[in-house]
Amino acid sequence: MKGIELVSMLFFSLPLLALGSGEVYIVTVEGEPVVSYSGGVDGFSATAIDLVEEMDITSESVTSYALHLEKKHDALLDSLFEVGTYKKLYSYRHLVNGFAVHISPEQAEALSKAPGVKYVEKDMKIKKFTTHTPQFLGLPTGVWPTRGGFDRAGEDIVIGFVDSGIYPKHPSFSTHNTEPYGPLPRYRGKCEVDPETQRDFCNGKIIGAQHFAKAAIAAGAFNPAIDFPSPLDGDGHGSHTAAIAAGNNGIRVKMHGYEFGKASGMAPRARIAVYKVLYRLFGGYVSDVVAAIEQAVLDGVDILNLSVGPNSPPTTTKATFLNPFDAALLSAVRAGVFVAQAAGNGGPFPKTLVSFSPWITTVAAAIDDRRYKNNLTLGNGKILPGLGLSPSTHGNKSFNLVSANDVMLDLSLLKYNPLDCQRPELLNRNKVEGNILLCGYSFNFVSGTASIKKVSETAKSLGAAGFIVAVENTYPGAKFDPVPVDTPGILITDARKTKELIDYYNCSTTRDWAGRPISFDATASIADGLAPILHKSAPQVALFSSRGPDVKDFSFQDADVLKPDILAPGNLIWAAWAPNGTDEANYIGEGFAMVSGTSMAAPHIAGIAALIKQKNPHWSPGAIKSALMTTATTLDRGGRPILAQQYSETEIMTLVQATPFDYGSGAVNPKAALDPGLILDTTYEDYIRFLCSVPDVDPNEVRNITSSACNSTTGLPADLNSPSITISHLEGTQTVKRTVTNVADTETYVITTRMSPEIALEASPPAMTVLSGASREITVSLTVRSVTGGYSFGEILMKGDRGHRVRIPVVAMGFDS
């Protein structure tokens, strides 16, 4: 997942601004956007909606009011600045009322003081958050049959991907072997035409394809030769996420002549709508993302998948929840669109989340039950574990080891690091051929200028029997994933094992008086690493997955919101790749890639949400989120508490028992989420009340960002009817209420609680019968028994007599009153 950082943007094309003086700013102004306009402007009738299906974008009321807003944007700018000294990039009219404009900082200061202007923020740069999982999640046997089989799972549900585009020719998106996709009139998006082939990007499966780059162009960052001015994926990331959520079922994953199973999306019959905002070299810009989100909602998507988000909380607002990005997503939720967003890859450290708001479903990444491991057997009998998704050395025989340092051709070429084994022309083929090439792991592998794939190609071109890449030092940002190669190879990731390997090699290599090798007598064999090993200790929270607690402001004060919300597979995920994609050096030119990140976890949830939406087309985003969270599990496949990867005091990766700050409500359980029994629904008005209750937030700021007024500021953030309870500062006793609605048959529930002993947790009534379609209120009280200086964790469990099980996680930190 790529985060967001504040950047200065070079002015590129405006004649009356000095080069370098321009910046892109996002501006919101007085007046309600289309989605919430309830009337009051002479000559324009109300356009406010409850569900996106109800908005007719071609209606006279919508088009005329949207044009009215755009004209007001233009009039404001024209009244302040001379023609040619600014460039308006977008008018936002439907989800937020405002615009993106390229101006100087001095002009931005003047704009912020103009009547009717509510908010001016410098644009921010964005980066992305960077097969087997349908079976791991139980979809083929437990979920797809209830939706008519895989060939109907997700039928007529549209998932919008705000990402790096798509590679439309991939078999994961093909319609050749599927039942034809009929028209879907309620989706109103367009398909751009490829400027090179003059063919559009859509085929029925892909139902919409657009790109957004006006801010990138204004910033001077966009290179059309590299970034493709079309929805074409020049990165790989967008194709990968789309295939995880909605790729075709049963697509054979083949690389180097080996088959690694069959890949499928979570909702293989769902439609794909592409909104490209991410580009190869620079990522993207928030103003382009907001434009893409607005267009996606206007087009009629049901689900939005976001693998982008801010790198840190916004600095220009008092609350992390109040910024144009989150405001646009709040309006999207108001319009009935479910939003899944990657949590971020800043783990395992606390407060590293980049998805903050309660109306967004924030997804943490899990390691599933499939692991690829391999081992190296030395001539002295030692067996060293490592990673190597490769065949074994020929005939399982041992071969002599030769270090790249010992077979260099020309010392004058040391401006390159020969130990990386990236350049075969630096090494002596006569000494490498028939032997195992021993290479080192430098920072170049972290920066992306070196790759395991290139090592494999070097070894193959020199006729080596195999290769070893040995890690002597760990580098910040290093991640050790198995890479599929067609040459026998292994990566030794443990520096202690690398030392054993090097000691054995040095002791077995005869050298002359100058240290030059005379004979290579160390031997080794590489095992077959192509088959995965299945573990019952899954899922586990991945080391890189960002952790809570959530924060409410830029000073990183804790928020009364549980984040992340849910855990989904995000480690070593096989899915489609763009052959021209450059995001992963090990998969350049390939049609599939095995990638890790919360970027991979979010589309799992987006796809499962599509299945829930298919079954319950009138459910709100809050209802879908509740169904996912209240049915999640906190146990692994072996029935033990889920563990989280973490660093020990000596910075060695270890496993600890996971908490809600690692996995939210737990690991997603798709079958249970399709039949949750009870839901805790939340509306747009609930979220506004939540914003108004956040301490130190100015009601005027809420109105400026959301165009909705605070009718009351007397509540507390924990009063939001969310499927979790978080109180970051609990003194004495605090009481909160939750309203549950029965979406199944009439059922009687027994309610129990469990909490760490320093907090007393009570829920009433102890039992209740909830009629089908009816709602009941639960009163929950938390009381501080002792102060520990840390968080306490617990749960409210509701067990129904018809088999439903509803769980609400509870998190609180006690203080002396």
Side-chain angles (χ1 to χ4, degrees):
M1 171 175 187
K2 288 189 176 179
I4 289 182
E5 54 192 278
L6 287 172
V7 295
S8 293
M9 302 179 186
L10 296 178
F11 177 73
F12 187 65
S13 60
L14 302 182
L16 298 183
L17 276 175
L19 186 65
S21 64
E23 312 259 11
V24 175
Y25 291 86
I26 299 174
V27 182
T28 59
V29 295
E30 293 283 353
E32 301 224 278
V34 169
V35 73
S36 58
Y37 171 59
S38 55
V41 179
D42 288 344
F44 299 97
S45 57
T47 58
I49 59 163
D50 292 321
L51 292 174
V52 71
E53 290 87 352
E54 297 176 8
M55 180 193 286
D56 179 5
I57 63 171
T58 63
S59 70
E60 171 63 22
S61 60
V62 169
T63 55
S64 62
Y65 184 67
L67 182 60
H68 164 72
L69 294 180
E70 185 167 1
K71 287 181 176 178
K72 290 194 70 174
H73 301 162
D74 295 338
L76 172 65
L77 290 168
D78 287 344
S79 70
L80 291 172
F81 310 125
E82 291 184 26
V83 174
T85 65
Y86 70 90
K87 183 175 182 179
K88 190 189 73 172
L89 305 178
Y90 298 104
S91 268
Y92 306 125
R93 302 162 299 169
H94 295 88
L95 302 185
V96 292
N97 180 19
F99 51 86
V101 62
H102 193 263
I103 51 179
S104 70
E106 293 76 19
Q107 288 173 305
E109 178 69 19
L111 183 58
S112 68
K113 297 176 181 177
V117 173
K118 299 192 298 185
Y119 180 85
V120 177
E121 183 183 77
K122 190 189 299 183
D123 199 2
M124 296 184 286
K125 195 174 181 182
I126 65 167
K127 298 177 183 178
K128 57 188 172 295
F129 305 144
T130 263
T131 66
H132 167 84
T133 48
Q135 286 75 23
F136 176 70
L137 295 172
L139 292 171
T141 58
V143 175
W144 288 344
T146 68
R147 311 284 4 110
F150 72 84
D151 54 349
R152 287 288 177 268
E155 184 83 63
D156 290 343
I157 301 299
V158 182
I159 306 177
F161 295 89
V162 179
D163 215 296
S164 67
I166 198 162
Y167 184 71
K169 298 178 183 178
H170 198 281
S172 289
F173 315 122
S174 170
T175 58
H176 295 314
N177 299 314
T178 64
E179 184 177 325
Y181 286 88
L184 195 62
R186 68 175 180 80
Y187 179 77
R188 301 169 289 267
K190 67 179 181 180
C191 281
E192 292 183 13
V193 173
D194 189 320
E196 292 190 6
T197 66
Q198 296 304 307
R199 297 179 61 183
D200 71 43
F201 282 77
C202 297
N203 60 3
K205 172 71 171 176
I206 303 171
I207 198 172
Q210 302 170 60
H211 83 289
F212 300 79
K214 289 182 180 179
I217 293 169
F222 190 86
N223 182 341
I226 297 174
D227 296 312
F228 304 132
S230 76
L232 182 64
D233 187 2
D235 182 289
H237 190 269
S239 301
H240 201 269
T241 56
I244 291 170
N248 290 329
N249 179 62
I251 303 302
R252 297 171 66 191
V253 179
K254 292 191 71 174
M255 284 184 67
H256 311 306
Y258 303 105
E259 185 170 324
F260 295 98
K262 294 181 178 180
S264 173
M266 300 295 100
R269 188 67 180 175
R271 311 290 186 106
I272 293 169
V274 177
Y275 300 87
K276 179 179 173 180
V277 298
L278 291 169
Y279 297 88
R280 280 182 171 180
L281 300 180
F282 61 88
Y285 293 86
V286 166
S287 53
D288 288 330
V289 173
V290 173
I293 293 169
E294 176 159 291
Q295 189 63 54
V297 175
L298 196 62
D299 290 344
V301 302
D302 300 292
I303 313 289
L304 261 182
N305 181 80
L306 292 172
S307 292
V308 300
N311 196 34
S312 64
T315 58
T316 54
T317 59
K318 288 186 178 178
T320 52
F321 321 115
L322 289 172
N323 62 81
F325 185 85
D326 281 39
L329 293 176
L330 177 56
S331 290
V333 168
R334 179 178 191 170
V337 179
F338 174 90
V339 180
Q341 185 180 20
N345 294 346
F349 309 106
K351 298 188 180 183
T352 49
L353 294 157
V354 292
S355 176
F356 312 107
S357 296
W359 47 89
I360 300 167
T361 300
T362 303
V363 189
I367 297 170
D368 66 15
D369 61 347
R370 184 197 57 207
R371 320 282 165 83
Y372 289 99
K373 295 186 178 181
N374 205 345
N375 60 71
L376 178 74
T377 302
L378 302 180
N380 61 7
K382 287 188 176 181
I383 299 176
L384 307 183
L387 301 174
L389 222 168
S390 78
S392 63
T393 43
H394 182 69
N396 289 318
K397 296 177 182 177
S398 292
F399 296 85
N400 291 95
L401 298 178
V402 295
S403 169
N405 273 344
D406 287 332
V407 295
M408 288 186 295
L409 281 175
D410 189 347
L411 292 175
S412 67
L413 296 173
L414 279 180
K415 62 180 180 179
Y416 303 110
N417 185 353
L419 198 57
D420 284 352
C421 299
Q422 302 295 293
R423 293 173 171 266
E425 66 272 18
L426 302 183
L427 305 178
N428 188 331
R429 180 186 176 92
N430 293 330
K431 293 183 178 181
V432 175
E433 189 172 14
N435 297 318
I436 295 176
L437 180 62
L438 176 58
C439 310
Y441 185 93
S442 71
F443 185 74
N444 293 336
F445 286 88
V446 181
S447 66
T449 57
S451 69
I452 300 296
K453 178 179 181 175
K454 188 62 180 175
V455 176
S456 174
E457 292 172 351
T458 295
K460 188 174 184 178
S461 69
L462 296 173
F467 68 87
I468 303 166
V469 177
V471 178
E472 290 188 81
N473 301 294
T474 55
Y475 299 94
K479 63 173 185 175
F480 303 122
D481 288 343
V483 177
V485 292
D486 59 356
T487 304
I490 189 168
L491 171 66
I492 306 297
T493 60
D494 188 333
R496 295 168 298 182
K497 300 300 180 183
T498 292
K499 185 178 185 305
E500 293 181 26
L501 168 62
I502 293 173
D503 287 347
Y504 167 65
Y505 175 81
N506 287 334
C507 290
S508 305
T509 301
T510 305
R511 302 178 184 274
D512 64 13
W513 63 272
R516 294 182 293 250
I518 299 173
S519 64
F520 300 99
D521 299 319
T523 62
S525 65
I526 299 169
D528 187 332
L530 292 172
I533 302 169
L534 300 182
H535 287 254
K536 281 191 174 181
S537 60
Q540 293 175 354
V541 182
L543 186 71
F544 59 79
S545 186
S546 288
R547 309 300 212 263
D550 194 10
V551 295
K552 65 182 181 182
D553 54 32
F554 191 65
S555 62
F556 285 81
Q557 292 187 64
D558 294 6
D560 287 348
V561 176
L562 179 60
K563 291 287 177 177
D565 292 301
I566 199 161
L567 182 71
N571 189 67
L572 304 182
I573 304 299
W574 277 112
W577 199 248
N580 56 355
T582 58
D583 186 43
E584 293 283 344
N586 288 312
Y587 295 99
I588 293 175
E590 305 293 350
F592 292 92
M594 183 172 59
V595 188
S596 300
T598 54
S599 282
M600 285 66 248
H604 281 89
I605 295 301
I608 296 166
L611 299 176
I612 299 173
K613 182 75 172 179
Q614 181 190 13
K615 181 182 178 183
N616 306 282
H618 299 296
W619 275 18
S620 71
I624 296 173
K625 179 179 179 180
S626 172
L628 289 162
M629 290 182 65
T630 60
T631 58
T633 179
T634 59
L635 302 178
D636 65 20
R637 301 196 73 174
R640 297 176 295 270
I642 291 175
L643 300 176
Q645 293 185 339
Q646 185 57 263
Y647 283 132
S648 67
E649 291 181 0
T650 56
E651 296 190 4
I652 301 297
M653 199 277 286
T654 186
L655 293 171
V656 298
Q657 186 166 328
T659 75
F661 292 147
D662 302 314
Y663 57 43
S665 56
V668 64
N669 181 343
K671 182 179 180 180
L674 279 169
D675 182 22
L678 303 175
I679 59 168
L680 294 87
D681 206 354
T682 41
T683 66
Y684 175 80
E685 290 73 22
D686 293 331
Y687 292 127
I688 295 298
R689 281 191 289 271
F690 161 82
L691 289 172
C692 296
S693 71
V694 175
D696 301 324
V697 167
D698 185 346
N700 291 325
E701 192 170 28
V702 175
R703 187 176 182 278
N704 286 345
I705 300 298
T706 67
S707 298
S708 296
C710 290
N711 295 323
S712 172
T713 57
T714 58
L716 295 170
D719 292 333
L720 179 69
N721 197 49
S722 64
S724 62
I725 296 172
T726 300
I727 302 176
S728 60
H729 192 105
L730 176 64
E731 295 183 9
T733 297
Q734 184 170 330
T735 299
V736 298
K737 298 181 184 297
R738 290 293 184 267
T739 300
V740 297
T741 301
N742 189 356
V743 292
D745 293 332
T746 298
E747 192 165 2
T748 298
Y749 285 86
V750 175
I751 304 175
T752 58
T753 63
R754 181 188 60 82
M755 192 76 186
S756 303
E758 54 270 15
I759 304 287
L761 175 65
E762 296 179 356
S764 63
M768 63 183 181
T769 298
V770 190
L771 301 178
S772 180
S775 299
R776 291 288 302 271
E777 190 175 79
I778 301 168
T779 301
V780 181
S781 66
L782 296 91
T783 303
V784 177
R785 285 175 169 165
S786 61
V787 176
T788 64
Y791 276 96
S792 302
F793 305 104
E795 64 181 11
I796 300 167
L797 185 61
M798 292 173 271
K799 290 184 177 180
D801 60 2
R802 301 179 67 91
H804 290 108
R805 183 180 184 275
V806 179
R807 180 180 168 275
I808 301 174
V810 179
V811 177
M813 185 189 294
F815 290 83
D816 291 323
S817 38

